[in-house]
Amino acid sequence: MSERFIPSGLANRLGRAATLSLIAGTVGGAAVLAGQAFAARHRRYAQPELALALRATVGRADAPPLRLVLLGDSSALGVGVGRLDETIGGQLANLLAEGPNGRRVHLSSVGVSGSRSTDLATQVARALLGERPDVAVILIGANDATTLRRPVEAAAYLGAAVHRLREARVEVVVGTCPDLGAVRAIAPPLRNVVGWSGRRVARAQTAAVLDAGGTVVDLATETGAVFRADAGTLCHDGYHPSADGYRVWAHALLPAVAAAAAVASRH
């Protein structure tokens, strides 16, 4: 996969995180934070693999069909890996297709790298074009956290997206903001700041999604310890998941997604 310098948007968010965290008094040392923001800006980060089209059919031809769509940020696209079966969507599809009660999964993604919760309305519109999906998996929150957006505001946009999908009779599973304290592309204490911000976003997301009728999987709680312990769960940039990292997330999401698929089959 080709490497490019960190996108300016993420660089600006990291710089803003450093500045605001200093003002809030959450960490000390302007010089330390400024240096860390500069270092993060000049790292090389994984980019979306343009040749990787997240649209595939997985499973036996005679198995019950399941239309699965992913929405959200770079996670929904599988940034950090180069093959469909390494992405979280591909791994979920394979897991759902396995076994005697497996499904024939029609997988697609409308996610956009760099997306925040405010971008979900457009993605929902795209997801509902054509044949209605049975299950939607939303992965969002990291970019809301790194911009230090007010968690309640970000969660409100997520809740609206979940509500709209539920009104269209789509089962919805949301993977909340992952453990940003596990990323290695950002050094402490700036890493501690974005980790704290991520936890606040995840808590607000949980309340909004449940109120809107969706199902929540707390990715930070379920998988954060694994990401902190194993550097191999992140790809070469130390920020996006690797194939192993997406596998960890897929297994955490699988029970909720399988349950949603069972409900959808009764519609």
Side-chain angles (χ1 to χ4, degrees), residues 52-59 65-71 75-78 83-97 103-111 127 131 133-137 139 257:
L52 184 60
L54 278 187
R55 186 172 294 276
T57 299
V58 179
L66 175 70
R67 292 178 295 279
L68 175 67
V69 63
L70 273 68
L71 303 87
S75 303
L77 290 175
R83 300 203 318 262
L84 174 67
D85 61 1
E86 294 176 330
T87 68
I88 190 166
Q91 298 200 52
L92 273 173
N94 281 314
L95 289 169
L96 291 165
R103 309 294 292 267
R104 183 167 176 80
V105 182
H106 302 283
L107 172 68
S108 62
S109 175
V110 294
E131 199 166 11
D134 298 304
V135 177
V137 174
L139 301 169
V257 176

Side-chain angles (χ1 to χ4, degrees), residues 227-251:
F227 276 78
R228 287 175 181 252
D230 184 3
T233 53
L234 297 174
C235 75
H236 65 83
D237 66 8
Y239 187 80
H240 296 94
S242 64
D244 287 340
Y246 284 127
R247 184 176 303 111
V248 171
W249 281 2
H251 280 279

Side-chain angles (χ1 to χ4, degrees), residues 114-141:
S115 289
R116 295 181 293 175
S117 297
T118 53
D119 302 308
L120 286 174
T122 300
Q123 294 187 26
V124 169
R126 292 175 57 201
L128 294 177
L129 285 174
E131 199 166 11
R132 175 180 56 84
D134 298 304
V135 177
V137 174
I138 303 178
L139 301 169
I140 200 76

Side-chain angles (χ1 to χ4, degrees), residues 2-29:
S2 63
E3 295 183 344
R4 300 175 185 171
F5 285 106
I6 178 172
S8 59
L10 179 55
N12 291 337
R13 293 195 296 271
L14 294 174
R16 184 179 175 212
T19 303
L20 294 182
S21 63
L22 176 64
I23 294 173
T26 55
V27 295

Side-chain angles (χ1 to χ4, degrees), residues 1-2 22 42 58 81 89 94 107 116 126 132 136 141-142 158 166 171 185 192-193 196 199-200 211 223 229 233:
M1 180 179 297
S2 63
L22 176 64
H42 288 83
V58 179
V81 299
N94 281 314
L107 172 68
R116 295 181 293 175
R126 292 175 57 201
R132 175 180 56 84
L158 172 59
R166 294 294 295 124
E171 298 298 318
N192 301 334
V193 175
W196 163 80
R199 290 190 294 275
R200 294 179 70 227
D211 285 346
T223 69
T233 53

